[in-house]
Amino acid sequence: MKVLKTTLTVIAILVAVPLLVALFVDQDYAVEREIMINKPKQEVLDYLKYLRNQDNYSTWATRDPNMKKTYTGTDGTVGFVSAWESNDQEVGKGEQEIKSIVDGERIDFELRFYEPFEATEPAAMVTESISDNETKVKWGFNGHMNYPMNLMLIFMNMEEEIGNDLQTGLDNLKIQLEK
């Protein structure tokens, strides 16, 4: 009986400690990367607002060459939806919708992930004119993990995982636009 009581106490502690720690772990995270592109700001934004152009620079768009893509609406306008579906667990199933376009400034997106997990997160691409022929592009993503799943943020470096993909996409974008 004493062994059972000790075992149950140890199990309770092993469950309670992580749940207690998760109470103090932030549930939100934000990742942003930027790059300088040698093109005028309006030309850069005019390219970015078309979601189909992401096939030319986004690392996520190239992860599975067999992924099924569908589009709804008029590309480059608010409400346009680009959806994807893949058997590859790293790609999964989801969609991206243009939520707003501030001409010459930014594009706001809503990313909706359905598989392998469900989440709805905001993202944005912002342009800033540095000179007549030089534009800074910032690509950002915000995420949220509910309690107690937020405990995983201790072990996952979202800044690195998502940030590296954003940077690769921006590097590809620079090459694409400066051709």
Side-chain angles (χ1 to χ4, degrees), residues 1-16:
M1 189 65 166
K2 187 175 182 178
V3 170
L4 180 61
K5 186 177 178 182
T6 303
T7 302
L8 290 176
T9 301
V10 168
I11 290 172
I13 290 170
L14 289 174
V15 170

Side-chain angles (χ1 to χ4, degrees), residues 4 14 31 47 58 60 62 68 70 77 94 142 145 147:
L4 180 61
L14 289 174
V31 180
Y47 184 83
S58 172
W60 296 301
T62 60
K68 178 183 169 195
T70 56
T77 64
N142 295 315
M145 288 185 136
Y147 173 86

Side-chain angles (χ1 to χ4, degrees), residues 3-41:
V3 170
L4 180 61
K5 186 177 178 182
T6 303
T7 302
L8 290 176
T9 301
V10 168
I11 290 172
I13 290 170
L14 289 174
V15 170
V17 169
L19 291 176
L20 185 62
V21 169
L23 288 172
F24 300 98
V25 174
D26 198 359
Q27 294 181 3
D28 298 310
Y29 60 92
V31 180
E32 183 178 87
R33 293 292 186 273
E34 62 183 50
I35 198 163
M36 302 299 285
I37 297 178
N38 295 316
K39 290 288 181 179
K41 181 171 89 166

Side-chain angles (χ1 to χ4, degrees), residues 41 104-105 126-131 134-138:
K41 181 171 89 166
E105 300 296 325
V126 179
T127 58
E128 178 184 339
S129 184
I130 302 305
S131 69
E134 192 174 33
T135 304
K136 181 190 296 183
V137 176
K138 295 180 185 177

